[in-house]
mmCIF file of all heavy atoms in Angstrom:
data_model
loop_
_atom_site.group_PDB
_atom_site.id
_atom_site.type_symbol
_atom_site.label_atom_id
_atom_site.label_comp_id
_atom_site.label_asym_id
_atom_site.label_seq_id
_atom_site.Cartn_x
_atom_site.Cartn_y
_atom_site.Cartn_z
ATOM 1 N N CYS A 49 -161.628 -139.382 178.714
ATOM 2 C CA CYS A 49 -160.832 -140.389 179.395
ATOM 3 C C CYS A 49 -160.635 -141.595 178.494
ATOM 4 O O CYS A 49 -161.546 -141.957 177.738
ATOM 5 C CB CYS A 49 -161.538 -140.865 180.664
ATOM 6 S SG CYS A 49 -161.883 -139.564 181.852
ATOM 7 N N GLY A 50 -159.467 -142.219 178.583
ATOM 8 C CA GLY A 50 -159.197 -143.403 177.771
ATOM 9 C C GLY A 50 -159.278 -143.088 176.292
ATOM 10 O O GLY A 50 -158.734 -142.075 175.812
ATOM 11 N N THR A 51 -160.013 -143.917 175.579
ATOM 12 C CA THR A 51 -160.177 -143.667 174.143
ATOM 13 C C THR A 51 -160.755 -142.288 173.878
ATOM 14 O O THR A 51 -160.379 -141.593 172.931
ATOM 15 C CB THR A 51 -161.085 -144.750 173.523
ATOM 16 O OG1 THR A 51 -160.373 -145.971 173.446
ATOM 17 C CG2 THR A 51 -161.549 -144.395 172.129
ATOM 18 N N SER A 52 -161.644 -141.849 174.758
ATOM 19 C CA SER A 52 -162.261 -140.535 174.569
ATOM 20 C C SER A 52 -161.268 -139.393 174.782
ATOM 21 O O SER A 52 -161.474 -138.289 174.274
ATOM 22 C CB SER A 52 -163.465 -140.387 175.493
ATOM 23 O OG SER A 52 -164.475 -141.295 175.069
ATOM 24 N N SER A 100 -167.688 -138.420 176.021
ATOM 25 C CA SER A 100 -167.807 -139.683 176.742
ATOM 26 C C SER A 100 -168.812 -140.580 176.033
ATOM 27 O O SER A 100 -169.987 -140.220 175.919
ATOM 28 C CB SER A 100 -168.276 -139.431 178.176
ATOM 29 O OG SER A 100 -168.512 -140.657 178.844
ATOM 30 N N ARG A 101 -168.347 -141.754 175.537
ATOM 31 C CA ARG A 101 -169.264 -142.679 174.882
ATOM 32 C C ARG A 101 -170.456 -142.947 175.803
ATOM 33 O O ARG A 101 -171.602 -142.784 175.440
ATOM 34 C CB ARG A 101 -168.598 -143.997 174.530
ATOM 35 C CG ARG A 101 -169.555 -145.089 174.068
ATOM 36 C CD ARG A 101 -168.865 -146.403 173.756
ATOM 37 N NE ARG A 101 -168.299 -147.100 174.895
ATOM 38 C CZ ARG A 101 -167.742 -148.313 174.824
ATOM 39 N NH1 ARG A 101 -167.691 -148.956 173.664
ATOM 40 N NH2 ARG A 101 -167.220 -148.888 175.901
ATOM 41 N N SER A 102 -170.166 -143.318 177.050
ATOM 42 C CA SER A 102 -171.224 -143.744 177.979
ATOM 43 C C SER A 102 -171.985 -142.571 178.592
ATOM 44 O O SER A 102 -173.137 -142.719 178.969
ATOM 45 C CB SER A 102 -170.586 -144.538 179.118
ATOM 46 O OG SER A 102 -169.686 -143.682 179.832
ATOM 47 N N GLY A 103 -171.270 -141.414 178.740
ATOM 48 C CA GLY A 103 -171.916 -140.318 179.470
ATOM 49 C C GLY A 103 -172.013 -140.624 180.957
ATOM 50 O O GLY A 103 -172.767 -139.973 181.678
ATOM 51 N N THR A 105 -168.899 -141.893 182.812
ATOM 52 C CA THR A 105 -167.549 -141.971 183.387
ATOM 53 C C THR A 105 -167.388 -140.945 184.493
ATOM 54 O O THR A 105 -167.610 -139.754 184.285
ATOM 55 C CB THR A 105 -166.498 -141.759 182.287
ATOM 56 O OG1 THR A 105 -166.558 -142.860 181.371
ATOM 57 C CG2 THR A 105 -165.101 -141.643 182.856
ATOM 58 N N THR A 149 -166.827 -153.673 175.060
ATOM 59 C CA THR A 149 -166.136 -152.891 176.084
ATOM 60 C C THR A 149 -165.248 -151.836 175.433
ATOM 61 O O THR A 149 -165.190 -150.691 175.864
ATOM 62 C CB THR A 149 -165.273 -153.826 176.958
ATOM 63 O OG1 THR A 149 -166.128 -154.714 177.652
ATOM 64 C CG2 THR A 149 -164.424 -153.050 177.944
ATOM 65 N N VAL A 150 -164.600 -152.235 174.350
ATOM 66 C CA VAL A 150 -163.683 -151.287 173.717
ATOM 67 C C VAL A 150 -164.435 -150.418 172.714
ATOM 68 O O VAL A 150 -165.385 -150.850 172.079
ATOM 69 C CB VAL A 150 -162.500 -151.997 173.030
ATOM 70 C CG1 VAL A 150 -161.733 -152.849 174.029
ATOM 71 C CG2 VAL A 150 -162.930 -152.826 171.838
ATOM 72 N N MET A 151 -163.982 -149.164 172.590
ATOM 73 C CA MET A 151 -164.626 -148.217 171.683
ATOM 74 C C MET A 151 -164.023 -148.347 170.287
ATOM 75 O O MET A 151 -162.813 -148.258 170.120
ATOM 76 C CB MET A 151 -164.439 -146.788 172.195
ATOM 77 C CG MET A 151 -165.118 -146.503 173.520
ATOM 78 S SD MET A 151 -164.709 -144.895 174.186
ATOM 79 C CE MET A 151 -165.354 -143.770 172.971
ATOM 80 N N GLU A 229 -155.796 -153.138 174.662
ATOM 81 C CA GLU A 229 -157.070 -153.563 175.250
ATOM 82 C C GLU A 229 -157.534 -154.932 174.714
ATOM 83 O O GLU A 229 -157.937 -155.797 175.465
ATOM 84 C CB GLU A 229 -158.156 -152.525 174.954
ATOM 85 C CG GLU A 229 -158.017 -151.219 175.692
ATOM 86 C CD GLU A 229 -159.153 -150.244 175.369
ATOM 87 O OE1 GLU A 229 -159.571 -150.197 174.192
ATOM 88 O OE2 GLU A 229 -159.623 -149.551 176.284
ATOM 89 N N SER A 343 -163.649 -152.813 182.151
ATOM 90 C CA SER A 343 -165.114 -152.753 182.128
ATOM 91 C C SER A 343 -165.507 -151.708 181.090
ATOM 92 O O SER A 343 -164.695 -150.857 180.718
ATOM 93 C CB SER A 343 -165.622 -152.302 183.500
ATOM 94 O OG SER A 343 -165.024 -151.044 183.812
ATOM 95 N N ARG A 344 -166.745 -151.759 180.619
ATOM 96 C CA ARG A 344 -167.175 -150.847 179.550
ATOM 97 C C ARG A 344 -167.129 -149.383 180.008
ATOM 98 O O ARG A 344 -166.909 -148.484 179.204
ATOM 99 C CB ARG A 344 -168.591 -151.206 179.092
ATOM 100 C CG ARG A 344 -169.060 -150.455 177.851
ATOM 101 C CD ARG A 344 -170.414 -150.935 177.365
ATOM 102 N NE ARG A 344 -170.852 -150.262 176.168
ATOM 103 C CZ ARG A 344 -171.355 -149.027 176.159
ATOM 104 N NH1 ARG A 344 -171.503 -148.358 177.314
ATOM 105 N NH2 ARG A 344 -171.728 -148.454 175.023
ATOM 106 N N VAL A 345 -167.368 -149.150 181.278
ATOM 107 C CA VAL A 345 -167.331 -147.786 181.822
ATOM 108 C C VAL A 345 -166.512 -147.807 183.122
ATOM 109 O O VAL A 345 -166.614 -148.744 183.901
ATOM 110 C CB VAL A 345 -168.743 -147.254 182.140
ATOM 111 C CG1 VAL A 345 -168.679 -145.801 182.605
ATOM 112 C CG2 VAL A 345 -169.650 -147.377 180.920
ATOM 113 N N VAL A 346 -165.681 -146.793 183.326
ATOM 114 C CA VAL A 346 -164.898 -146.675 184.556
ATOM 115 C C VAL A 346 -165.615 -145.741 185.524
ATOM 116 O O VAL A 346 -165.844 -144.572 185.210
ATOM 117 C CB VAL A 346 -163.477 -146.151 184.254
ATOM 118 C CG1 VAL A 346 -162.714 -145.885 185.554
ATOM 119 C CG2 VAL A 346 -162.708 -147.129 183.369
HETATM 120 C C1 F1P B 1 -164.062 -144.314 178.030
HETATM 121 C C2 F1P B 1 -163.337 -145.613 178.449
HETATM 122 C C3 F1P B 1 -162.924 -146.390 177.241
HETATM 123 C C4 F1P B 1 -162.224 -147.697 177.611
HETATM 124 C C5 F1P B 1 -163.131 -148.525 178.453
HETATM 125 C C6 F1P B 1 -163.616 -147.703 179.621
HETATM 126 O O1 F1P B 1 -165.283 -144.244 178.454
HETATM 127 O O2 F1P B 1 -162.256 -145.254 179.187
HETATM 128 O O3 F1P B 1 -162.017 -145.624 176.541
HETATM 129 O O4 F1P B 1 -161.960 -148.419 176.431
HETATM 130 O O5 F1P B 1 -164.220 -148.895 177.650
HETATM 131 O O6 F1P B 1 -164.180 -146.483 179.207
HETATM 132 P P1 F1P B 1 -166.353 -143.121 178.015
HETATM 133 O O7 F1P B 1 -166.221 -142.016 179.006
HETATM 134 O O8 F1P B 1 -166.042 -142.665 176.660
HETATM 135 O O9 F1P B 1 -167.654 -143.855 178.124
#
Side-chain angles (χ1 to χ4, degrees):
C49 301
T51 287
S52 293
S100 175
R101 170 181 68 175
S102 62
T105 294
T149 296
V150 302
M151 295 173 63
E229 289 181 322
S343 57
R344 188 175 182 283
V345 184
V346 174

